[in-house]
Amino acid sequence: MQILPASRIRNLAPYLFADIDRIKREVEAKGVDVISMGIGDPDLPTPGFIVESLKQAADNPKNYRYPDYQGLARFRAAVAGWYRRRFGVSLDSETEVCALIGSKEGIANFALAVVDPDDIVLVPDPGYPVYRTGCLFAGGRPYAVPLTKATGFRPELEAIPQKVARRAKLLWLNYPNNPTGATVEPAFFVQAVRFCLKNEIILAHDAAYSEISYDGYRAPSALEVEGARDCAVEFHSLSKTFSMTGWRLGFAVGNAQLIGALGKTKTNVDSGVFQAIQEAGITALESNESGLYESCAVYQERRDLLVGALRGLGLDCETPRATFYVWAEVPKGYTSVSLAVKFLNEAGVVITPGSGYGKFGEGFVRFSFTLATPRLREALRRVQALRL
Ligand SMILES: *Cc1c(COP(=O)(O)O)cnc(C)c1O
């Protein structure tokens, strides 16, 4: 029998990092100790007090059964408390908060909750690929909103053709931004909310990096803006904030009808987050976050090493105020893929071609600094010997 996967899988664009993966294996086969700056996955361990909290919760048989779909009432209350302290936003933890098995799951399922076939979804380009694939899986039509250097990698919403804006169902935003490292001030969300209310578009903001910031910058929430609750939801994750990528814990907050629609979708495809992990999440959200400042200090030191080395090499880049990515311009004579291939072949260092995040990502490469500082220094030593 011939196995034919569904067209939604077959029609996905070929995996752009496949070439890089293949060359990486070839270079490794030659005995080179390849250093990856390709993936954004904190190397710093989850703080010990959070791990302790999981160990205790894992001993309680009450946690072995199916959890509540929307999340433990106490977890949702902890999220609401964190939002009040962090952003000054008050949320009804009953109706405006939903626990997620990591925010990627919520982002993908949100499209199933709100997008009908042929609906237009405005997706940032370059951007986190799930906004686009989630839309495609729901039968929607992604419309790329370019993030360019000229506008500080913020979308020009007013430049979206009226015809498109009027037909659009959903707009994705992500600040602090992956892959560009761009940040915004609250005024940006005032404009975005106004644009969405005027055109009756749902605003979904992915705030995965809100707590990874430097130089005193504090990322705003889209929900701080008046009117946001009429159109917006925001996605958060404990993955980056508390170095918990493998634990799979996140949450969505905002407009009660939208949170309800996401929750209804999820009740049909999953059965919630293991309660012991939610218990540990409560401990994390209610902590004094001093560990957070320590990890940001480690990242900031690496950021400065990296930006200094790249500029020394002649690569143009901004110093990011948040995230653990540097988005550097590809010099003349290279494409983002050919530059990444050169880094891999000649320095044994993996970086990510910007074209993997969308066509407007061409001309840039992304460096992630979630690797131990001595490894980063070694990578930079090798990279500085390159001739571009
Ligand atoms: C890492 C990341 C996430 C969060 O992923 P989880 O599923 O919560 O681990 C969400 N959005 C962006 C842009 C990311 O880079």
Side-chain angles (χ1 to χ4, degrees):
M1 173 193 152
Q2 196 198 338
I3 305 291
L4 191 63
S7 56
R8 73 174 65 84
I9 299 292
R10 295 200 314 270
N11 294 345
L12 288 177
Y15 181 56
L16 262 149
F17 305 131
D19 273 351
I20 301 287
D21 282 349
R22 180 179 50 76
I23 299 168
K24 179 176 175 233
R25 282 193 300 274
E26 286 168 12
V27 173
E28 275 171 341
K30 285 188 224 152
V32 176
D33 169 28
V34 172
I35 302 177
S36 178
M37 300 183 71
I39 294 171
D41 184 358
D43 59 303
L44 304 173
T46 307
F49 69 93
I50 301 174
V51 179
E52 275 312 312
S53 174
L54 172 70
K55 285 182 184 167
Q56 277 179 25
D59 271 337
N60 183 350
K62 269 207 301 218
N63 290 330
Y64 303 164
R65 312 193 70 185
Y66 282 122
D68 278 347
Y69 284 112
Q70 336 75 300
L72 281 169
R74 282 186 304 105
F75 176 75
R76 287 178 285 135
V79 168
W82 184 76
Y83 248 78
R84 202 177 318 107
R85 292 192 304 279
R86 172 65 178 84
F87 300 112
V89 170
S90 45
L91 296 166
D92 177 351
S93 63
E94 279 296 309
T95 58
E96 296 177 326
V97 180
C98 180
L100 300 172
I101 312 168
S103 59
K104 183 179 190 178
E105 171 265 294
I107 290 166
N109 278 320
F110 191 62
L112 294 179
V114 300
V115 175
D116 275 319
D118 290 328
D119 278 350
I120 290 179
V121 177
L122 305 172
V123 295
D125 181 342
Y128 186 57
V130 187
Y131 313 135
R132 188 186 145 81
T133 45
C135 162
L136 291 172
F137 283 6
R141 293 204 275 143
Y143 181 91
V145 180
L147 305 184
T148 64
K149 187 183 172 187
T151 56
F153 303 106
R154 293 168 202 116
E156 277 190 293
L157 298 175
E158 296 309 327
I160 295 170
Q162 262 302 308
K163 222 172 58 196
V164 174
R166 242 180 272 122
R167 287 206 38 217
K169 183 74 186 277
L170 170 63
L171 165 68
W172 279 104
L173 294 175
N174 165 221
Y175 291 96
N177 185 258
N178 175 11
T180 68
T183 52
V184 294
E185 301 300 331
F188 171 80
F189 289 124
V190 174
Q191 281 180 3
V193 166
R194 191 179 302 149
F195 170 83
C196 286
L197 289 175
K198 184 177 83 187
N199 293 291
E200 305 205 346
I201 298 171
I202 295 162
L203 172 58
H205 179 232
D206 176 359
Y209 294 93
S210 69
E211 306 314 299
I212 311 293
S213 65
Y214 316 111
D215 308 325
Y217 174 73
R218 294 286 271 167
S221 159
L223 297 177
E224 291 170 24
V225 173
E226 207 181 299
R229 213 172 297 228
D230 295 331
C231 63
V233 288
E234 194 156 73
F235 290 82
H236 271 274
S237 170
L238 279 76
S239 288
K240 316 290 161 59
T241 305
F242 298 103
S243 295
M244 292 173 70
T245 47
W247 295 55
R248 314 312 303 135
L249 182 59
F251 50 91
V253 298
N255 179 279
Q257 278 173 286
L258 295 173
I259 293 296
L262 174 61
K264 188 167 179 180
T265 306
K266 281 169 55 57
T267 58
N268 286 283
V269 291
D270 69 60
S271 299
V273 180
F274 181 32
Q275 283 188 9
I277 288 177
Q278 294 187 60
E279 292 285 357
I282 295 169
T283 303
L285 290 168
E286 292 181 344
S287 67
N288 70 12
E289 299 184 10
S290 58
L292 208 71
Y293 297 116
E294 284 163 33
S295 37
C296 286
V298 173
Y299 291 140
Q300 183 165 334
E301 185 202 2
R302 294 176 186 171
R303 175 200 68 170
D304 294 340
L305 285 170
L306 175 58
V307 167
L310 296 183
R311 289 192 182 144
L313 197 60
L315 293 183
D316 254 340
C317 58
E318 294 280 330
T319 303
R321 286 195 297 175
T323 76
F324 31 62
Y325 306 114
V326 170
W327 188 240
E329 244 177 289
V330 170
K332 274 207 174 52
Y334 295 94
T335 63
S336 62
V337 170
S338 75
L339 187 69
V341 168
K342 184 180 173 81
F343 270 64
L344 191 43
N345 275 328
E346 297 178 21
V349 171
V350 178
I351 58 174
T352 316
S355 55
Y357 299 97
K359 71 169 188 280
F360 292 96
E362 183 51 76
F364 292 86
V365 286
R366 193 192 76 172
F367 292 81
S368 165
F369 44 94
T370 51
L371 70 174
T373 308
R375 285 293 272 175
L376 174 66
R377 287 184 192 276
E378 168 61 15
L380 297 180
R381 197 187 56 73
R382 295 188 202 169
V383 160
Q384 277 164 323
L386 289 174
R387 265 159 202 262
L388 297 179

PDB file of all heavy atoms in Angstrom, residues 212-229:
ATOM      1  N   ILE A 212      13.186  38.315  29.026  1.00  0.00           N
ATOM      2  CA  ILE A 212      14.612  38.210  28.699  1.00  0.00           C
ATOM      3  C   ILE A 212      15.034  39.551  28.119  1.00  0.00           C
ATOM      4  O   ILE A 212      14.986  39.767  26.904  1.00  0.00           O
ATOM      5  CB  ILE A 212      14.871  37.066  27.670  1.00  0.00           C
ATOM      6  CG1 ILE A 212      14.186  35.766  28.110  1.00  0.00           C
ATOM      7  CG2 ILE A 212      16.364  36.875  27.436  1.00  0.00           C
ATOM      8  CD1 ILE A 212      14.753  35.138  29.372  1.00  0.00           C
ATOM      9  N   SER A 213      15.410  40.490  28.986  1.00  0.00           N
ATOM     10  CA  SER A 213      15.733  41.827  28.486  1.00  0.00           C
ATOM     11  C   SER A 213      16.917  42.421  29.241  1.00  0.00           C
ATOM     12  O   SER A 213      17.296  41.923  30.305  1.00  0.00           O
ATOM     13  CB  SER A 213      14.500  42.733  28.575  1.00  0.00           C
ATOM     14  OG  SER A 213      14.137  42.941  29.919  1.00  0.00           O
ATOM     15  N   TYR A 214      17.480  43.482  28.646  1.00  0.00           N
ATOM     16  CA  TYR A 214      18.771  44.026  29.098  1.00  0.00           C
ATOM     17  C   TYR A 214      18.715  45.547  29.198  1.00  0.00           C
ATOM     18  O   TYR A 214      17.824  46.184  28.668  1.00  0.00           O
ATOM     19  CB  TYR A 214      19.874  43.633  28.103  1.00  0.00           C
ATOM     20  CG  TYR A 214      19.774  42.194  27.668  1.00  0.00           C
ATOM     21  CD1 TYR A 214      19.417  41.860  26.361  1.00  0.00           C
ATOM     22  CD2 TYR A 214      19.980  41.164  28.585  1.00  0.00           C
ATOM     23  CE1 TYR A 214      19.298  40.531  25.974  1.00  0.00           C
ATOM     24  CE2 TYR A 214      19.851  39.842  28.206  1.00  0.00           C
ATOM     25  CZ  TYR A 214      19.513  39.526  26.894  1.00  0.00           C
ATOM     26  OH  TYR A 214      19.373  38.220  26.520  1.00  0.00           O
ATOM     27  N   ASP A 215      19.748  46.082  29.817  1.00  0.00           N
ATOM     28  CA  ASP A 215      19.942  47.541  29.865  1.00  0.00           C
ATOM     29  C   ASP A 215      18.739  48.255  30.472  1.00  0.00           C
ATOM     30  O   ASP A 215      18.441  49.395  30.117  1.00  0.00           O
ATOM     31  CB  ASP A 215      20.199  48.112  28.447  1.00  0.00           C
ATOM     32  CG  ASP A 215      21.322  47.374  27.722  1.00  0.00           C
ATOM     33  OD1 ASP A 215      22.279  46.953  28.395  1.00  0.00           O
ATOM     34  OD2 ASP A 215      21.227  47.220  26.487  1.00  0.00           O
ATOM     35  N   GLY A 216      18.016  47.585  31.371  1.00  0.00           N
ATOM     36  CA  GLY A 216      16.877  48.230  32.028  1.00  0.00           C
ATOM     37  C   GLY A 216      15.598  48.228  31.210  1.00  0.00           C
ATOM     38  O   GLY A 216      14.570  48.739  31.663  1.00  0.00           O
ATOM     39  N   TYR A 217      15.617  47.672  30.002  1.00  0.00           N
ATOM     40  CA  TYR A 217      14.395  47.633  29.186  1.00  0.00           C
ATOM     41  C   TYR A 217      13.385  46.663  29.794  1.00  0.00           C
ATOM     42  O   TYR A 217      13.749  45.554  30.182  1.00  0.00           O
ATOM     43  CB  TYR A 217      14.734  47.203  27.751  1.00  0.00           C
ATOM     44  CG  TYR A 217      13.508  46.988  26.891  1.00  0.00           C
ATOM     45  CD1 TYR A 217      12.765  48.070  26.436  1.00  0.00           C
ATOM     46  CD2 TYR A 217      13.090  45.706  26.550  1.00  0.00           C
ATOM     47  CE1 TYR A 217      11.626  47.879  25.670  1.00  0.00           C
ATOM     48  CE2 TYR A 217      11.956  45.501  25.775  1.00  0.00           C
ATOM     49  CZ  TYR A 217      11.225  46.594  25.341  1.00  0.00           C
ATOM     50  OH  TYR A 217      10.105  46.397  24.584  1.00  0.00           O
ATOM     51  N   ARG A 218      12.104  47.085  29.886  1.00  0.00           N
ATOM     52  CA  ARG A 218      11.024  46.226  30.351  1.00  0.00           C
ATOM     53  C   ARG A 218       9.992  46.135  29.236  1.00  0.00           C
ATOM     54  O   ARG A 218       9.399  47.144  28.834  1.00  0.00           O
ATOM     55  CB  ARG A 218      10.360  46.806  31.612  1.00  0.00           C
ATOM     56  CG  ARG A 218      11.277  46.826  32.823  1.00  0.00           C
ATOM     57  CD  ARG A 218      11.469  45.434  33.416  1.00  0.00           C
ATOM     58  NE  ARG A 218      10.469  45.106  34.422  1.00  0.00           N
ATOM     59  CZ  ARG A 218      10.285  43.881  34.891  1.00  0.00           C
ATOM     60  NH1 ARG A 218      11.005  42.870  34.437  1.00  0.00           N
ATOM     61  NH2 ARG A 218       9.381  43.654  35.819  1.00  0.00           N
ATOM     62  N   ALA A 219       9.778  44.940  28.726  1.00  0.00           N
ATOM     63  CA  ALA A 219       8.852  44.770  27.596  1.00  0.00           C
ATOM     64  C   ALA A 219       7.414  45.006  28.047  1.00  0.00           C
ATOM     65  O   ALA A 219       7.010  44.515  29.097  1.00  0.00           O
ATOM     66  CB  ALA A 219       8.999  43.367  27.016  1.00  0.00           C
ATOM     67  N   PRO A 220       6.637  45.751  27.257  1.00  0.00           N
ATOM     68  CA  PRO A 220       5.227  45.960  27.610  1.00  0.00           C
ATOM     69  C   PRO A 220       4.355  44.779  27.189  1.00  0.00           C
ATOM     70  O   PRO A 220       4.749  43.960  26.363  1.00  0.00           O
ATOM     71  CB  PRO A 220       4.849  47.206  26.802  1.00  0.00           C
ATOM     72  CG  PRO A 220       5.735  47.158  25.594  1.00  0.00           C
ATOM     73  CD  PRO A 220       7.016  46.477  26.025  1.00  0.00           C
ATOM     74  N   SER A 221       3.144  44.729  27.777  1.00  0.00           N
ATOM     75  CA  SER A 221       2.125  43.760  27.355  1.00  0.00           C
ATOM     76  C   SER A 221       1.142  44.487  26.439  1.00  0.00           C
ATOM     77  O   SER A 221       0.794  45.654  26.691  1.00  0.00           O
ATOM     78  CB  SER A 221       1.387  43.240  28.587  1.00  0.00           C
ATOM     79  OG  SER A 221       0.128  42.712  28.214  1.00  0.00           O
ATOM     80  N   ALA A 222       0.652  43.781  25.408  1.00  0.00           N
ATOM     81  CA  ALA A 222      -0.376  44.384  24.538  1.00  0.00           C
ATOM     82  C   ALA A 222      -1.653  44.657  25.331  1.00  0.00           C
ATOM     83  O   ALA A 222      -2.433  45.542  24.984  1.00  0.00           O
ATOM     84  CB  ALA A 222      -0.678  43.464  23.362  1.00  0.00           C
ATOM     85  N   LEU A 223      -1.858  43.910  26.423  1.00  0.00           N
ATOM     86  CA  LEU A 223      -3.101  44.057  27.188  1.00  0.00           C
ATOM     87  C   LEU A 223      -3.119  45.299  28.071  1.00  0.00           C
ATOM     88  O   LEU A 223      -4.150  45.625  28.661  1.00  0.00           O
ATOM     89  CB  LEU A 223      -3.342  42.799  28.034  1.00  0.00           C
ATOM     90  CG  LEU A 223      -3.557  41.513  27.237  1.00  0.00           C
ATOM     91  CD1 LEU A 223      -3.714  40.330  28.183  1.00  0.00           C
ATOM     92  CD2 LEU A 223      -4.761  41.612  26.313  1.00  0.00           C
ATOM     93  N   GLU A 224      -1.967  46.002  28.146  1.00  0.00           N
ATOM     94  CA  GLU A 224      -1.947  47.259  28.901  1.00  0.00           C
ATOM     95  C   GLU A 224      -2.764  48.333  28.196  1.00  0.00           C
ATOM     96  O   GLU A 224      -3.143  49.336  28.790  1.00  0.00           O
ATOM     97  CB  GLU A 224      -0.498  47.779  29.033  1.00  0.00           C
ATOM     98  CG  GLU A 224       0.401  46.939  29.919  1.00  0.00           C
ATOM     99  CD  GLU A 224       1.870  47.361  29.816  1.00  0.00           C
ATOM    100  OE1 GLU A 224       2.152  48.529  29.457  1.00  0.00           O
ATOM    101  OE2 GLU A 224       2.740  46.522  30.096  1.00  0.00           O
ATOM    102  N   VAL A 225      -2.995  48.145  26.897  1.00  0.00           N
ATOM    103  CA  VAL A 225      -3.631  49.176  26.077  1.00  0.00           C
ATOM    104  C   VAL A 225      -5.145  49.136  26.226  1.00  0.00           C
ATOM    105  O   VAL A 225      -5.757  48.060  26.242  1.00  0.00           O
ATOM    106  CB  VAL A 225      -3.252  48.953  24.594  1.00  0.00           C
ATOM    107  CG1 VAL A 225      -4.024  49.886  23.685  1.00  0.00           C
ATOM    108  CG2 VAL A 225      -1.758  49.123  24.403  1.00  0.00           C
ATOM    109  N   GLU A 226      -5.747  50.336  26.308  1.00  0.00           N
ATOM    110  CA  GLU A 226      -7.195  50.423  26.391  1.00  0.00           C
ATOM    111  C   GLU A 226      -7.824  49.819  25.134  1.00  0.00           C
ATOM    112  O   GLU A 226      -7.351  50.065  24.031  1.00  0.00           O
ATOM    113  CB  GLU A 226      -7.586  51.897  26.502  1.00  0.00           C
ATOM    114  CG  GLU A 226      -8.905  52.100  27.221  1.00  0.00           C
ATOM    115  CD  GLU A 226      -9.240  53.581  27.280  1.00  0.00           C
ATOM    116  OE1 GLU A 226      -8.439  54.328  27.878  1.00  0.00           O
ATOM    117  OE2 GLU A 226     -10.283  53.956  26.718  1.00  0.00           O
ATOM    118  N   GLY A 227      -8.837  49.020  25.298  1.00  0.00           N
ATOM    119  CA  GLY A 227      -9.506  48.408  24.141  1.00  0.00           C
ATOM    120  C   GLY A 227      -8.927  47.057  23.768  1.00  0.00           C
ATOM    121  O   GLY A 227      -9.535  46.314  22.991  1.00  0.00           O
ATOM    122  N   ALA A 228      -7.748  46.736  24.308  1.00  0.00           N
ATOM    123  CA  ALA A 228      -7.100  45.475  23.928  1.00  0.00           C
ATOM    124  C   ALA A 228      -7.985  44.286  24.278  1.00  0.00           C
ATOM    125  O   ALA A 228      -8.054  43.301  23.536  1.00  0.00           O
ATOM    126  CB  ALA A 228      -5.737  45.347  24.605  1.00  0.00           C
ATOM    127  N   ARG A 229      -8.671  44.389  25.404  1.00  0.00           N
ATOM    128  CA  ARG A 229      -9.464  43.246  25.842  1.00  0.00           C
ATOM    129  C   ARG A 229     -10.641  42.952  24.912  1.00  0.00           C
ATOM    130  O   ARG A 229     -11.214  41.880  24.943  1.00  0.00           O
ATOM    131  CB  ARG A 229      -9.960  43.480  27.269  1.00  0.00           C
ATOM    132  CG  ARG A 229     -10.056  42.197  28.060  1.00  0.00           C
ATOM    133  CD  ARG A 229     -10.365  42.512  29.483  1.00  0.00           C
ATOM    134  NE  ARG A 229      -9.287  43.283  30.077  1.00  0.00           N
ATOM    135  CZ  ARG A 229      -8.747  42.998  31.244  1.00  0.00           C
ATOM    136  NH1 ARG A 229      -9.180  41.973  31.925  1.00  0.00           N
ATOM    137  NH2 ARG A 229      -7.794  43.748  31.723  1.00  0.00           N
TER     138      ARG A 229
END
